[in-house]
Amino acid sequence: MFPFTYTVASSVNKPLDVLGEWNMFIINDINDDINFHLRSIEDDHGNHTLSYKGIYQWQIHETPTTYYWSQFWWGSKYQDFHVFDSRHPSNVCIKQGFGTQYCYWLVRPEGFYVSNVNNTFPSRSWALDRTWA
């Protein structure tokens, strides 16, 4: 279903104040390549290009100060924002029970959707978080 998958494990050792484990995903649902740069204070995941239906995956050991931000480019369009921020009470990645958590970002022509489950779009689980600038 998704022909291109990147998997990256964080190089940060697991600290004692870990709040949880997260599997994070960026999925390209634009019929074109998108480019993005993902980073945190601890890790710079670098620049990436995702083809249509491509997936980028990484893991987070959440602490009280964990945040990741990303810059996205698609043709002449641009957007940058925090894709995960445990410092902010309205973090878009919401914990669901115990154990490993999941957060999916779906990049579409109209903007960026977020969900805790990877349901087929459109579905009620996907919430539009922001549009392209």
Side-chain angles (χ1 to χ4, degrees), residues 11-55:
S11 62
V12 178
N13 291 330
K14 189 173 178 180
L16 295 175
D17 59 347
V18 168
L19 301 175
E21 305 287 329
W22 288 84
N23 285 324
M24 304 289 297
F25 302 86
I26 297 172
I27 304 167
N28 180 10
D29 201 29
I30 296 174
N31 197 6
D32 197 1
D33 289 351
I34 62 167
N35 299 295
F36 67 96
H37 186 147
L38 174 68
R39 61 183 159 227
S40 73
I41 291 176
E42 297 90 11
D43 289 317
D44 186 339
H45 290 257
N47 292 314
H48 299 277
T49 300
L50 277 182
S51 299
Y52 178 53
K53 297 297 183 185
I55 301 172

Side-chain angles (χ1 to χ4, degrees), residues 10 12-15 18-22 59-63 66 68:
S10 177
V12 178
N13 291 330
K14 189 173 178 180
V18 168
L19 301 175
E21 305 287 329
W22 288 84
Q59 288 79 39
I60 293 176
H61 302 292
E62 181 187 7
T63 69
T66 302
Y68 280 79

